[in-house]
Structure formats: structure tokens, C-alpha cells
Amino acid sequence: MNRSIPRRTFVQTVLGAAVAAGSGVAALLAGRYGLVPPDHGGVLGIGHTLTFGAQRLLLRKQPLAREFDRAQISTNFPALNTTLPEDPDYQRDMKQGFRDWRLIVDGLVARPVELSLADIRGFPSRTQITQHVCEYGWSAIAEWTGVPLSLVLNAAGVQPQARYVFFNCVDGWWDSLDMADAWHPQTLLAYSMNGQDLPVAHGAPVRLRVERQLGYKHLKYITAITVTDTAREWGKGQGSEGAEHGYSWYAGI
Ligand SMILES: Nc1nc2c(c(=O)[nH]1)N[C@H]1C(S)=C(S)[C@@H](COP(=O)(O)O)O[C@H]1N2
Ligand SMILES: [Mo]
């Protein structure tokens, strides 16, 4: 990146702009640097913007979340909220070992695709042992294997104006990541947990792992991935279903 502005000035300018986000020019400036989250409006908005903006500035070099040894894998990993989606198509796919299941990748991509589980398993994979931290106060360590989201995005050809990647799930959950988390090497579409096929309770056939955010961002039962340049057209425009219920869109840890 071209650093023609000295670093301190850059940080001050952008954070200052982030504080004032919601008001005209400053919001535009912070938005340009990708430092304003979609849930920046309202009373909680300033807090969300400060947390997100500060983390994005501090983490510009994309550090990895901590990885653990096999010996540290938790014997008990809770399964939360939806553990068996009711959707009849899902249940049929499940009984057939997800043979006919497809993952849609569309939006601002050169080549929209529908990927089978075999297609997804055909990409180069990454395995990582990480700690899942749920906002309800529990955490657990597991080994996840999947395709880095970046490889799928590159295969589809992300257009330069992309700002968010939205995810839909079979149980109706939806959420989004900014491009920094979408390209992060530990952000996976995971299909294995502890060396086995991803169990249904944990989001089969494919779930998201986004290791630097809290549990609720790790969407299970993903059905579609849509690249966008705006969060406005989804729900109330706050970037996630959770944000509409008071959970911060950005859940960095
Ligand atoms: N589609 C979907 N994704 C989801 C959930 C869910 O109920 N449905 N629960 C979330 C929460 S709050 C957490 S902590 C993790 C739980 O993942 P686990 O069931 O594998 O422990 O998934 C997240 N992703
Ligand atoms: Mo959670």
C-alpha cells in the first residue's frame, strides 16, 4: 500500500474520522479505508465503529489466531443453537451424504458457481487447531480442515469493488465478513472436525471458521456466499442478523 501519509497522521486521521462516522466527509474517509462497520448507526454505532476501526488498524498485517497441539483438543465440544436443521431439502441431502447438496457462490464475481462437496474437497486444504470462543462464555479447542475461503473467492474471481462477503445458512442465519477477514489465511469453509466429516450438529456439510471472531460469526450449514459492495440490501443494512438483535457485526477477539 502506498504510505504517502505518515503512519501517526494516518492512524489519527482515520480513527478521528471513524469517531465522527455517520457525518458526511469523515464517514466517507473512514469508509474508504474499510474502517466503518455496517452497524455504525444509532447509539451503539460509535462504539462498534471504534472497536472495529481500532482492531483493523492494529491488525493490518493479518496476524494468525493462535493454533494448538493435538493433545489440547477438547474432549467435549458443545453444539449450539441449531443442531439439526428442519429444512426438508437439507434433511434429504443429509440422508444422501450431501451428494446433491450445492454451495452457491455469486454476487460481484466474474464466474458465479455452484460447488458440490466434492468440488470443495478438491481445493487445496488447510488444517488448523484453534479455540472457539462463544459469546455465552464457553470455549473449546478443535481441529478444523477446509478450503481457505480466499481460494474459493479467487476461483470465482472477486471484482475490485467488493467490500463484503455475505453468507446464508439453511436455518435462516445470515452474516457477513469484510474483505480483510474474507482473505485471511485461517478463514475456512470447513468440512472436517477432528479428522472426521463435519458432524451435522456442528454445521455439516460446510461451516465457516473465522478464527479471530467470536462463536456466533462461525456460521454453520452454509448454503450461499455472495460478494457485495454494500451491506445495505441485506435485512436492515447492518451486515448481519445478529446485529439486528444487538450483537456487534464485528466480533473480534
Ligand atoms: N447457521 C448457524 N450458524 C451458527 C449457529 C446457528 O445456530 N446456526 N450458532 C452460532 C453460535 S452462537 C456458535 S457459538 C457456533 C457454535 O458452533 P458449534 O455448534 O459447532 O459449537 O456456531 C455459530 N453459528
Ligand atoms: Mo455462540
Side-chain angles (χ1 to χ4, degrees), residues 9 32 36 42 52 60 65 72 84 99-100 141 164 169 171 205 208 227 245:
T9 323
R32 178 136 155 228
V36 180
F52 177 64
R60 258 181 301 165
Q72 293 169 289
L84 176 60
R99 189 190 61 205
D100 295 336
I141 294 172
Y164 302 104
C169 305
D171 61 350
L208 185 63
V227 179
H245 298 104

Side-chain angles (χ1 to χ4, degrees), residues 119-134:
D119 293 333
I120 291 171
R121 289 175 176 275
F123 280 92
S125 70
R126 179 183 164 94
T127 295
Q128 59 202 31
I129 302 174
T130 53
Q131 184 171 39
H132 180 94
V133 182
C134 172

